[in-house]
Amino acid sequence: MAGELPFETPLAEMRKKIMELQQFGAEKGIDFSEEIARLEERYRLLEDEIYANITPSQKMHLARHHGRPTSLDLMNLIFDDFLELHGDRLFGDDLAVVGGLAKLDGQPVTVIGQQRGKDTKDNIARFFGSAHPEGFRKALRLMQQADKFRRPIITFIDTKGAYPGNTAEERGQSEAIARNLLEMSKLRVPVICVVIGEGGSGGALAMAVGNRVLMLEHAIYSVISPNGAASILWKDATKADKAAEAMKITAADLLAMEVVEEIVPEPKGGAHADYEATAGHIKEAIIRHLQELSVMDADELREDRYLKFRKIGEYAEAREEEALPEEAALSPE
């Protein structure tokens, strides 16, 4: 398997043995079909065991896999007649954010996503998927256009965070993110957000104020990247794996906390193993949620979005009679 991660090494080694045995049998005219069948069965069992027990840090590496499908990959597989639109009409065109008009099974929609590069040159041009203010303003321009013409909005989230450099700060990074949070909360059309890779910090949230937030099975979503958290907690960004284990960043964690509404399954081996299957699962989920939201009017959609975020972080206060006496609360025992 090309580009396998460290925890996938046993699978790569077993696959290599199977291929070598197949090649040797073909060259020597020897039938190894029984041996190959046994090895392939062992491979399937090992594969099931490995992917059923992936740790949060391993999911982080899967979410960041260089071969994982990007927003543009999924847009072209899920939607028809995708027409990309450019620029924020204020400063320029940020290539870290892509978006435009498309059709989802014949229904006009606006689709927007954060876009990583496919190689080093492309990544540099797209700032590794970390948007400047003009990227967020381009996204907002497209969302306001969709609101005007009553088109549902679908966003794809895949960023470590907003661009952290001087150029972004000079052009109003924090204001651009805050503006998106405010304006997205007031949209009168259905908004469905899908975390397809890494959803990090305000750069992710600036495009994720939706009626429904979905996550791919091995995606991650957090208030800060594990690297950033490690830098703050231990002054060492190399401890990102340790931070990932403690941060509750996986789809299962976030579903349990009701931060997201659904986990979209990925093919065995991750989204990069089968783009079309991944796109098919996402498309099915988007259509299903759009059907649920399509019966709501503008006021109901806004209220639904408000309640979705209002319930996150719910807590309960102990009744006065249940509270510990002050003396007991202060006691070292």
Side-chain angles (χ1 to χ4, degrees):
M1 175 174 14
E4 69 269 1
L5 298 169
F7 71 90
E8 297 174 308
T9 300
L11 290 173
E13 291 176 348
M14 188 172 292
R15 175 52 60 189
K16 182 179 179 182
K17 289 179 182 178
I18 293 172
M19 293 176 65
E20 288 175 348
L21 192 58
Q22 290 172 331
Q23 184 177 357
F24 183 76
E27 291 175 352
K28 303 298 182 180
I30 304 174
D31 183 10
F32 289 119
S33 57
E34 291 186 8
E35 291 83 351
I36 291 171
R38 283 195 294 269
L39 282 173
E40 287 180 336
E41 179 61 23
R42 286 174 56 193
Y43 180 92
R44 285 190 290 271
L45 292 173
L46 179 61
E47 186 180 47
D48 289 340
E49 180 183 353
I50 287 175
Y51 289 109
N53 297 283
I54 299 177
T55 66
S57 62
Q58 290 169 340
K59 282 183 177 286
M60 177 184 71
H61 293 293
L62 271 175
R64 294 175 172 176
H65 195 284
H66 64 86
R68 200 169 177 85
T70 65
S71 292
L72 280 175
D73 291 327
L74 294 172
M75 287 175 187
N76 287 314
L77 287 169
I78 294 172
F79 304 97
D80 299 316
D81 302 327
F82 173 63
L83 174 65
E84 186 175 356
L85 302 177
H86 298 271
D88 67 342
R89 301 298 187 267
L90 293 169
F91 180 84
D93 187 32
D94 187 346
L95 298 182
V97 174
V98 296
L101 312 178
K103 289 183 179 178
L104 179 64
D105 279 359
Q107 180 181 8
V109 296
T110 289
V111 58
I112 308 164
Q114 289 150 336
Q115 178 68 19
R116 295 177 291 109
K118 286 290 191 178
D119 52 36
T120 301
K121 183 178 179 181
D122 196 21
N123 263 317
I124 291 171
R126 297 184 185 278
F127 302 102
F128 292 83
S130 294
H132 280 69
E134 54 268 25
F136 297 119
R137 289 170 181 144
K138 173 166 69 171
L140 180 58
R141 179 177 75 83
L142 296 177
M143 287 187 272
Q144 290 173 331
Q145 181 194 74
D147 191 62
K148 178 179 179 180
F149 292 102
R150 297 294 192 271
R151 289 192 298 264
I153 298 167
I154 293 95
T155 69
F156 293 127
I157 314 301
D158 189 13
T159 182
K160 291 185 179 181
Y163 188 75
N166 290 343
T167 53
E169 295 301 326
E170 290 167 357
R171 299 201 283 271
Q173 187 72 288
S174 58
E175 188 279 337
I177 292 172
R179 177 67 60 182
N180 275 31
L181 302 183
L182 174 63
E183 297 299 332
M184 287 190 76
S185 70
K186 299 190 294 185
L187 292 169
R188 299 169 296 173
V189 296
V191 183
I192 296 178
C193 310
V194 188
V195 184
I196 61 173
E198 181 172 10
S201 194
L205 192 58
M207 290 173 52
V209 183
N211 297 90
R212 301 288 184 270
V213 178
L214 318 178
M215 281 185 73
L216 280 178
E217 182 181 358
H218 300 312
I220 60 174
Y221 190 27
S222 59
V223 70
I224 187 173
S225 72
N227 306 72
S231 296
I232 294 171
L233 293 173
W234 301 294
K235 311 300 182 186
D236 186 356
T238 64
K239 294 184 177 180
D241 285 0
K242 182 179 178 181
E245 297 289 340
M247 289 173 61
K248 302 294 184 183
I249 61 176
T250 69
D253 291 327
L254 294 161
L255 182 66
M257 294 186 287
E258 299 186 14
V259 174
V260 303
E261 279 67 48
E262 182 176 338
I263 298 173
V264 180
E266 296 187 24
K268 195 67 65 65
H272 57 281
D274 190 335
Y275 281 25
E276 291 191 359
T278 300
H281 292 315
I282 294 173
K283 182 176 182 178
E284 185 277 328
I286 290 173
I287 291 173
R288 180 160 32 82
H289 284 282
L290 269 184
Q291 288 172 343
E292 294 174 4
L293 295 170
S294 64
V295 299
M296 299 182 187
D297 62 26
D299 290 336
E300 289 171 331
L301 286 167
R302 286 175 171 176
E303 181 68 9
D304 174 81
R305 204 175 302 129
Y306 169 80
L307 293 174
K308 177 214 163 16
F309 286 92
R310 186 67 181 85
K311 71 182 179 183
I312 295 175
E314 285 183 347
Y315 65 93
E317 294 184 1
R319 294 193 300 271
E320 187 173 345
E321 59 269 23
E322 294 177 348
L324 288 172
E326 186 176 348
E327 295 80 5
L330 297 174
S331 170
E333 297 179 359

